Amino acid sequence: MHNSMLKKLDQLQNRIGEIESLLVDSETVKDIEKYTLLNKEFAELKPIVDKFEEYNQVAKNISDANEIIESGDQELKNLAEEEIKKVEGRPEILEKELKLMLLPKDSADDGSAYLEIRAGAGGDEASIFAGDLFRMYSRLSEREGWNMEVIDIKQSEQGGLKEVVAKLEGKSVFKVLKFESGVHRVQRVPETESQGRIHTSTCTVAILPEVEEVQDINIDKNDLRVDTFRASGAGGQHVNKTDSAVRLTHTPSGIVVECQDGRSQHKNKEKALSLLAAKLKQQEIDNQQESIASERKILVGTGDRSEKIRTYNFPQGRMTDHRIKLTQHNLDQIMDGDIKTICDALLAENQLAMLSQLESE
């Protein structure tokens, strides 16, 4: 194991000792906020330190066994050789696991996220595909036990979607979906196509992590234009009676968000503000990543909305993710929300890229 990694693990081991002492200190217990933060840090570090202790124990067992082998006692040598065989390859496995555990964590990984889908090139077929993608993510949400709340939806005349914005709440939503941002392409024969020709259409998907506290993002009220209007979606008589839908325009950035899902104008404004905060935060992240893109580019892609990331080929029943050259021939299941294996593969590839970078530094 590299010295820098050993040093880092030693520091974490010492830190765990410090936290344990602080958690039983009466002054810490009185400070609820500090106590909660220490508990969270302890929960994050404990698995890493436990794994490091296991690594040290295995290394010690191998060292002790090698000393016995050199001692000359045949019976003990046989036992020692058996011991070494049992743990053969184990140190390397533990070292790799520790490297993965030490990789930088995305603070948004455990939280909720916003999903945006917009029909792109392809006219009617693009809007129908947008509806298909929305159903795909809705089914994934059901499979994962997440809660989906539609913030804004604009339907097309053909029964598809021009665009939709939804909030997905649950454990590790952003971690699972973070690599879904980009251009999704569909190849299929539209129902209206009499010659049986395959058409290509596109949709843009964006995944934005929820900002925990809207107050954390500095939004000057003077920079906001608030417009109210009547909701255009389903809603019975209510739709025609009240201007409950809210549109916020953030003048400095030009970002526009809408919410027309709820019947309360106040609630819709709250949701729109939360979405605006997420977009502004993402803008900050995008600017930071752009400045370091030449030095550090994760293999699975930049998350750029103009990047073509995936093709869904209906005639051949296959899906291809172009970033990791992954092809699956179970398109029906994929469109029914069975995409967790794809998301996991993208996460694994990203981890490998980060590991490679970590080892080269």
Side-chain angles (χ1 to χ4, degrees):
M1 191 183 287
H2 200 278
N3 284 338
S4 61
M5 190 171 164
L6 283 170
K7 186 179 177 182
K8 174 71 175 172
L9 289 163
D10 283 333
Q11 287 171 348
L12 295 183
Q13 210 166 25
N14 292 333
R15 178 59 182 158
I16 276 283
E18 289 173 10
I19 295 171
E20 284 175 329
S21 299
L22 287 167
L23 285 173
V24 294
D25 185 271
S26 58
E27 290 302 311
T28 306
V29 175
K30 289 176 189 174
D31 189 338
I32 300 296
E33 191 176 341
K34 185 179 180 183
Y35 187 77
T36 304
L37 286 172
L38 286 169
N39 258 315
K40 187 181 177 185
E41 187 182 355
F42 182 84
E44 288 171 355
L45 298 184
K46 190 70 166 66
I48 303 173
V49 171
D50 287 347
K51 187 74 69 178
F52 183 44
E53 286 173 357
E54 185 186 349
Y55 173 85
N56 285 334
Q57 188 59 55
V58 169
K60 184 179 183 301
N61 292 346
I62 292 171
S63 177
D64 291 347
N66 281 323
E67 281 184 22
I68 291 168
I69 289 169
E70 291 169 10
S71 69
D73 187 307
Q74 191 56 48
E75 191 174 340
L76 288 174
K77 275 172 71 174
N78 291 340
L79 287 170
E81 284 167 358
E82 282 296 316
E83 179 63 27
I84 288 174
K85 277 183 186 176
K86 278 183 195 174
V87 294
E88 193 174 1
R90 186 68 185 148
E92 290 78 14
I93 292 168
L94 289 169
E95 184 176 342
K96 187 175 180 182
E97 288 175 353
L98 279 166
K99 282 179 181 175
L100 286 170
M101 293 170 95
L102 286 174
L103 288 177
K105 298 284 190 300
D106 191 329
S107 59
D109 272 356
D110 292 334
S112 304
Y114 288 98
L115 162 71
E116 289 186 349
I117 303 171
R118 285 187 169 81
D124 295 344
E125 185 59 21
S127 66
I128 291 168
F129 180 48
D132 293 340
L133 286 177
F134 183 56
R135 181 180 181 277
M136 179 182 82
Y137 291 118
S138 300
R139 292 287 291 118
L140 172 68
S141 181
E142 289 171 18
R143 289 168 183 263
E144 294 299 308
W146 300 335
N147 179 56
M148 176 180 273
E149 179 187 17
V150 175
I151 302 296
D152 187 31
I153 190 164
K154 291 181 177 64
Q155 297 177 334
S156 69
E157 293 173 5
Q158 293 70 33
L161 298 175
K162 292 177 183 175
E163 63 181 78
V164 60
V165 181
K167 185 179 179 182
L168 293 167
E169 292 181 292
K171 185 170 173 56
S172 303
V173 174
F174 184 68
K175 183 179 181 180
V176 173
L177 293 177
K178 66 197 315 185
F179 297 118
E180 291 299 295
S181 292
V183 175
H184 294 239
R185 183 175 70 167
V186 63
Q187 294 174 325
R188 63 181 167 193
V189 180
E191 289 180 14
T192 54
E193 172 56 64
S194 57
Q195 303 296 316
R197 289 172 298 190
I198 295 170
H199 287 224
T200 299
S201 307
T202 63
C203 285
T204 302
V205 173
I207 304 295
L208 309 170
E210 181 189 20
V211 176
E212 283 190 19
E213 295 292 337
V214 175
Q215 293 83 357
D216 292 346
I217 303 297
N218 185 26
I219 303 174
D220 190 331
K221 287 182 180 178
N222 295 321
D223 291 336
L224 279 182
R225 191 177 80 231
V226 182
D227 297 307
T228 58
F229 57 100
R230 291 179 183 176
S232 58
Q237 293 178 336
H238 160 77
V239 170
N240 301 316
K241 286 183 178 178
T242 59
D243 291 350
S244 60
V246 174
R247 181 186 298 113
L248 300 181
T249 304
H250 186 248
T251 312
S253 65
I255 293 173
V256 179
V257 296
E258 290 182 9
C259 181
Q260 54 177 310
D261 180 58
R263 294 194 169 198
S264 160
Q265 188 183 109
H266 178 69
K267 286 276 174 64
N268 281 341
K269 187 177 179 183
E270 270 185 13
K271 291 175 186 176
L273 267 173
S274 180
L275 176 57
L276 176 61
K279 283 177 173 278
L280 289 170
K281 181 69 176 174
Q282 189 61 42
Q283 194 176 64
E284 278 180 24
I285 294 167
D286 289 345
N287 290 338
Q288 288 168 2
Q289 287 180 341
E290 199 174 313
S291 66
I292 58 171
S294 57
E295 300 170 30
R296 182 180 179 189
K297 189 175 180 182
I298 301 305
L299 292 183
V300 297
T302 60
D304 192 301
R305 299 182 193 197
S306 63
E307 179 186 15
K308 184 184 76 180
I309 62 167
R310 196 175 292 157
T311 296
Y312 305 76
N313 186 304
F314 277 76
Q316 296 178 20
R318 65 172 165 79
M319 180 288 308
T320 300
D321 195 289
H322 305 290
R323 296 163 294 179
I324 56 174
K325 309 295 186 287
L326 172 70
T327 297
Q328 291 187 356
H329 294 273
N330 60 332
L331 191 56
D332 286 347
Q333 290 96 314
I334 287 169
M335 298 313 294
D336 193 43
D338 188 7
I339 64 166
K340 186 65 163 49
T341 53
I342 303 166
C343 297
D344 289 345
L346 288 160
L347 280 168
E349 191 70 27
N350 187 61
Q351 285 182 331
L352 283 173
M354 291 174 75
L355 265 180
S356 175
Q357 193 170 44
L358 187 71
E359 288 166 355
S360 67
E361 286 174 356

